[in-house]
Each structure stands twice: as structure tokens, then as C-alpha cells.
Amino acid sequence: EAGAQPSAQEVAARVERHYNRVETLAADFVQRYTLGRTTLVESGRVYFKKPGRMRWEYNSPEEKLFLTDGKYAYLYVPSEAQVRRTPLKQAPEWQAALALFLGRAKLRRLFARLQLVSVDRADSAVRWQLRGTARSEKQGFHHIWFDLNQRYQLLRLEIQQLDGSLVEFHFRRWEENPALATGLFRLRVPPGTAWIDEGGS
């Protein structure tokens, strides 16, 4: 078994099992958005709690908060004093890859094709790279790459979108099952903050 190479389907199943067992997660993240020659790099801390809750605290280069409570996604930018609220069911389908952390993503259903690359480099914590191809253009992306370590934890997620842009998330210092209060996933903003509903209510 030691020398046997698992299939892409087996690795996908192991990743799903890993995150199905975890109730809460926390990590540091770096997010890169590249379109043409322009790259925007942001970083912060992210928290996940089942069912359906995420909190992305961006602290560089600008403070902002992206939060989901299971029903809506909220983007709060303090410098703009406004909140944008979108029904989760209208979120881009590539974000379904993030539902992996909430034990909800079925990678084998999300993609038309899964490929596996074994990464065997002494200088890298990455052990596997799983590559998924979109089922249709309606999903809003072409490919998604998952870089995984030996424990099937996700270290990097890269999404190639239809407009040619790349969105990349690098995760470090994963904590599994930390104690996270439900209040962490409730949006609290100062009085006078403007609320903008996007995509209906």
C-alpha cells in the first residue's frame, strides 16, 4: 500500500471525510486575485463553523469582513460604512468549493472531471494536487486546484474564472475544532452603516 498511488476519486473522498469530521476550523489566509498584469493581495484570518457559517477577517491592505450565516453572505467595509447582503443561493458556484470546509461539498459532483498530481518535493508540505474541471459555464469557473498535505488538509485553493482571472487562497496554521462562539458569525456594525441588498431578499 505504501507505494500505491490513490486515484483522484479516492483522494477527493478522503478530503471530504476529513472535513466531514471537523465541526469548526480556523486558519490564517492570504488571498490573491490576478487579472492580466494586476494582482491584489489581501490577508487575514478565517473561521468556519457548521452549519454554513464562515467569517473572513481581512486586515491587510484594508480592513473588511466577509461573513455567512447559513442564509446570507455579508460584505462589510468599514471605510465605506456599508454592508452588502446577498442570498447565499445566489453566490458564485466556485464558492461551493469553500463549502468543503463546512462538510457540504461533494467534489465528485461539483466537477465534470477530477485529476490528481502527486507532489513529491522535500521543500513542500504539499503532497497532492487535485484538479477539478467545471461541468458547465454556468458554474462561473473553468478549473479549481486543491493543494493538499499528507493529512488531506487544504493548503491552497486556486480558481480559474471564466473572465481569465485567478483567485488563490493560501492557508496556514490550521486549527481543527477550536471553540468558536455562534456570535462570531453574527454581523455587528456601527449605527449609520448603509445596507445594500443585492440580488433580492
Side-chain angles (χ1 to χ4, degrees):
E1 175 65 22
Q5 167 90 340
S7 69
Q9 304 288 338
E10 286 169 335
V11 169
R14 289 173 194 176
V15 174
E16 288 167 15
R17 274 202 303 273
H18 180 89
Y19 286 108
N20 280 339
R21 287 197 300 261
V22 180
E23 290 300 313
T24 59
L25 290 160
D28 295 336
F29 75 90
V30 175
Q31 178 181 327
R32 293 173 196 271
Y33 173 83
T34 304
L35 181 60
R37 295 182 177 183
T38 305
T39 298
L40 172 65
V41 181
E42 300 174 286
S43 62
R45 186 126 178 103
V46 63
Y47 306 89
F48 299 91
K49 183 180 175 75
K50 293 176 182 176
R53 297 180 177 97
M54 296 190 287
R55 179 186 177 96
W56 297 75
E57 296 176 352
Y58 292 82
N59 50 42
S60 174
E62 181 183 21
E63 193 179 314
K64 66 181 184 181
L65 181 64
F66 178 78
L67 189 131
T68 68
D69 60 8
K71 188 176 177 186
Y72 291 99
Y74 306 87
L75 177 62
Y76 170 52
V77 183
S79 65
E80 297 173 3
Q82 68 178 28
V83 175
R84 294 180 180 275
R85 184 175 80 160
T86 311
L88 268 184
K89 60 179 182 285
Q90 295 180 14
E93 187 148 351
W94 66 260
Q95 289 184 6
L98 296 172
L100 175 69
F101 298 124
L102 300 165
R104 289 216 315 258
K106 295 283 178 271
L107 300 181
R108 291 156 289 178
R109 283 192 212 144
L110 186 61
F111 303 116
R113 193 170 79 244
L114 275 172
Q115 296 169 286
L116 182 70
V117 177
S118 178
V119 180
D120 202 7
R121 296 207 334 254
D123 63 340
S124 175
V126 177
R127 181 67 183 89
W128 313 106
Q129 186 179 81
L130 203 55
R131 179 179 184 174
T133 304
R135 290 189 176 278
S136 79
E137 288 204 349
K138 288 181 189 168
Q139 290 178 285
F141 66 89
H142 287 303
H143 302 289
I144 295 184
W145 290 265
F146 301 85
D147 284 2
L148 307 160
N149 67 11
Q150 194 73 37
R151 295 176 57 205
Y152 302 99
Q153 290 175 313
L154 190 57
L155 302 183
R156 188 178 75 101
L157 181 64
E158 183 174 326
I159 301 106
Q160 183 187 38
Q161 301 194 96
L162 294 182
D163 63 2
S165 63
L166 279 179
V167 184
E168 232 181 303
F169 297 93
H170 294 256
F171 299 101
R172 289 187 309 130
R173 292 204 284 272
W174 278 114
E175 289 177 55
E176 298 193 345
N177 290 318
L180 299 179
T182 304
L184 191 65
F185 303 91
R186 279 199 288 269
L187 186 63
R188 292 180 179 84
V189 295
T193 301
W195 285 72
I196 300 165
D197 267 312
E198 299 188 328
S201 57

